[in-house]
């Protein structure tokens, strides 16, 4: 029992001694590792410290270099500014010296002038005293004062001048009476000789040639629907069966005839002739004619050398091409009056440019977009004033038929040239003008009824077609308009034969498939 106890005690002691020895060994090992790690950390820290110090020195040197560069640049800039200021200072000093020198010279010159003025004043006084002395001697010799002698001399000269002036005025008046008619005839003859013009060739019919009867049949259409559509859209009377291979387009309005002719030409060239296509082509042709009118007005102004004409006035000038006055083409007449006016103004020593412009515009009141309720001369003057034309041009336009008082010399020149252009042989045909006026009156009379959209006088004035709006006029009202219009024409107008009044009321329903 004791032996076992001792064995156990011995084992416990041995185990304890082993644990103690192991702990001692491990403690020594840990102490050694920690010292080595500490030494390594100190070495690394020292190395990092040296690197940071080195980087700081490099950054410092870099900043120092940049600062030195900035300082040097500022020093150079300051030196440059200082040099520039010194140059300006030197320049100012030089200018100041020049000003001082000029000031001194001016003072010297002023002193010399003052001395010279004093000398001149002294001489003037001496001269006045001598003059007074001579004057008193002359008065004593002539036994009258200088004022009396002066008055007597003036009266004598006035009487002689009046006598000479009366003789001269009488001679001038006699010569003017003897030569006035001769000189006026010379001016007019020279003006006419320098202006070449054509005679009136306007008519109311246009001829459209066709190749064969097949094309004629296509133009007529089924039951004549193509012809009716063309007549309704253009207001032109289309005559087919009177002559072979030709179609006559009859209308008093040249614009309508030209639209119909061009539309037929396009339709025949295209080959597609039906009401819808006719309507499309007529609409395009109307736009084309408007463009041609504007271009013609511009070209006319360029040919006559007229500049800065407003666009609307140029359009009205071009529109004159499709109007006539007593059979005389209105544009040809306006160009003729413009050239005559310019030539006559030059002969009389006036401004030919103003006269030419007034002559060209004198009849613009005849081609308005809406029918005015005043004479064409006054309406043309209003248009010219509206578009800022010169007052002398406005007065010449308004006074060329004595409907406005003439205030400038250009006005009688335009009036005379207008009369010359209209009165020359072959210029006008009264019958054509009366015919066109009757057709115009027919159309304007129908336009006075409410709901009327368009009116066309066709068949040489034997038929009046009135197109009314379907949404504004009923069938019964259309019949009433036809009856009332026929009675009004019978009571208010004079015409040969009879006139057929056709009122057309058409309803269209249009949609688009997209």
């Amino acid at each position: 029992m004791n032996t076992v106890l001792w064995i156990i005690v011995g084992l416990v002691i041995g185990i304890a001694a082993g644990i103690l020895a192991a702990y001692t060994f491990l403690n020594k090992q840990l102490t050694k590792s920690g010292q080595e790690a500490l030494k390594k950390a100190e070495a690394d820290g020292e190395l990092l410290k040296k690197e940071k110090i080195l980087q700081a020195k490099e950054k410092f040197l870099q900043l120092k270099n940049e600062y030195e560069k900035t300082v040097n640049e500022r020093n150079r800039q300051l030196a440059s500014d200082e040099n520039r200021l010194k140059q300006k200072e030197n320049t100012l000093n030089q200018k100041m010296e020049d000003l001082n020198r000029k000031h001194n010279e001016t003072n010297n010159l002023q002193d010399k002038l003052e001395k010279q003025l004093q000398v001149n004043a002294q001489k003037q006084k001496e001269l006045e005293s001598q003059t007074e002395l001579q004057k008193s001697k002359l008065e004593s010799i002539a036994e009258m004062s200088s004022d009396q002698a002066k008055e007597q001399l003036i009266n004598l000269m006035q009487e002689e001048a009046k006598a000479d002036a009366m003789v001269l005025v009488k001679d001038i008046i006699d010569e003017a009476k003897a030569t006035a008619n001769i000189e006026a005839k010379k001016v007019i003859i020279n003006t006419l000789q320098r202006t070449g013009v054509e005679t009136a060739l306007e008519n109311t019919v246009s001829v459209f040639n066709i190749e064969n009867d097949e094309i004629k049949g296509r133009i007529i259409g089924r039951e004549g629907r193509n012809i009716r559509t063309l007549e309704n859209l253009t207001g032109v009377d289309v005559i087919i069966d009177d002559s072979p291979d030709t179609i006559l387009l009859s209308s008093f309005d040249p614009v309508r005839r030209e639209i119909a002719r061009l539309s037929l030409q396009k339709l025949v060239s295209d080959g597609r002739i039906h009401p819808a296509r006719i309507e499309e082509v007529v609409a395009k042709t109307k736009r084309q004619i408007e463009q041609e009118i504007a271009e013609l007005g511009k070209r006319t102004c360029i040919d006559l050398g007229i500049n800065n004409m407003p666009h609307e006035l140029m359009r009205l000038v071009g529109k004159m091409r499709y109007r006539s006055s007593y059979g005389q083409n209105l544009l040809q007449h306006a160009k003729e009056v413009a050239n005559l006016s310019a030539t006559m103004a030059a002969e009389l020593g006036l401004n030919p440019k103003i006269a030419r412009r007034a002559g060209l515009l004198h009849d613009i009141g005849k081609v308005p977009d809406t029918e005015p309720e005043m004479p064409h001369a006054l309406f043309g003057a209003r248009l010219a004033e509206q578009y800022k034309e010169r007052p002398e041009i406005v007065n010449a336009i308004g006074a060329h038929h004595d409907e406005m008082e003439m205030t400038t010399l250009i006005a009688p020149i335009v009036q005379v040239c207008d009369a010359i252009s209209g009165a020359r042989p072959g210029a006008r045909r009264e019958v054509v003008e009366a015919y066109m006026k009757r057709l115009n009156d027919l159309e304007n009379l129908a336009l006075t009824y409410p709901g009327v959209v368009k009116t066309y006088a066709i068949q040489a004035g034997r038929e009046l077609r009135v197109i009314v709006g379907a949404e504004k006029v009923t069938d019964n009202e259309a019949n009433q308009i036809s009856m009332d219009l026929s009675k009004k024409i019978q009571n208010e107008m004079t015409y040969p034969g009879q006139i057929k009044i056709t009122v057309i009321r058409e309803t269209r329903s249009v949609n688009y498939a997209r």
Side-chain angles (χ1 to χ4, degrees), residues 380-440:
R382 177 182 293 181
L383 286 174
E385 186 177 11
Q386 178 182 350
Y387 293 105
K388 304 296 187 298
E389 286 295 324
R390 297 167 68 103
E392 50 266 45
I393 294 176
V394 174
N395 180 253
I397 295 172
H400 78 276
H401 284 316
D402 293 324
E403 291 163 338
M404 181 185 291
E405 183 181 357
M406 295 183 182
T407 58
T408 65
L409 292 177
I410 299 297
I413 289 177
V414 172
Q415 185 184 52
V416 169
C417 293
D418 179 43
I420 291 173
S421 173
R424 62 181 177 78
R428 294 181 172 181
R429 293 200 298 270
E430 298 288 337
V431 176
V432 176
E433 179 63 22
Y435 161 74
M436 293 175 62
K437 185 176 185 303
R438 178 165 59 85
L439 297 189
N440 269 320

Side-chain angles (χ1 to χ4, degrees), residues 142-175:
E143 295 181 353
M144 67 172 63
S145 65
S146 60
D147 293 335
Q148 293 174 346
K150 195 181 296 183
E151 183 178 358
Q152 184 177 354
L153 179 61
I154 290 172
N155 292 333
L156 180 62
M157 292 180 66
Q158 284 180 346
E159 291 176 359
E160 291 179 356
K162 286 180 180 180
D164 293 340
M166 291 297 295
V167 174
L168 182 60
V169 168
K170 185 176 181 302
D171 293 340
I172 291 173
I173 292 174
D174 293 339
E175 184 180 359

Side-chain angles (χ1 to χ4, degrees), residues 213-269:
D213 290 338
E214 180 185 354
I215 295 178
K216 181 184 290 188
R218 294 171 61 189
I219 292 174
I220 295 173
R222 183 182 301 173
E223 298 178 355
R225 62 174 187 172
N226 292 342
I227 289 296
R228 288 197 302 273
T229 302
L230 184 63
E231 288 179 342
N232 290 336
L233 291 173
T234 60
V236 172
D237 185 18
V238 182
I239 305 171
I240 291 184
D241 296 330
D242 289 359
S243 57
D245 299 332
T246 58
I247 294 177
L248 297 181
L249 306 174
S250 176
S251 175
F252 72 96
D253 191 339
V255 177
R256 298 180 188 174
R257 293 202 311 272
E258 185 67 10
I259 290 173
R261 188 186 68 81
L262 292 176
S263 299
L264 268 179
Q265 184 177 357
K266 292 178 181 179
L267 289 168
V268 171
S269 300

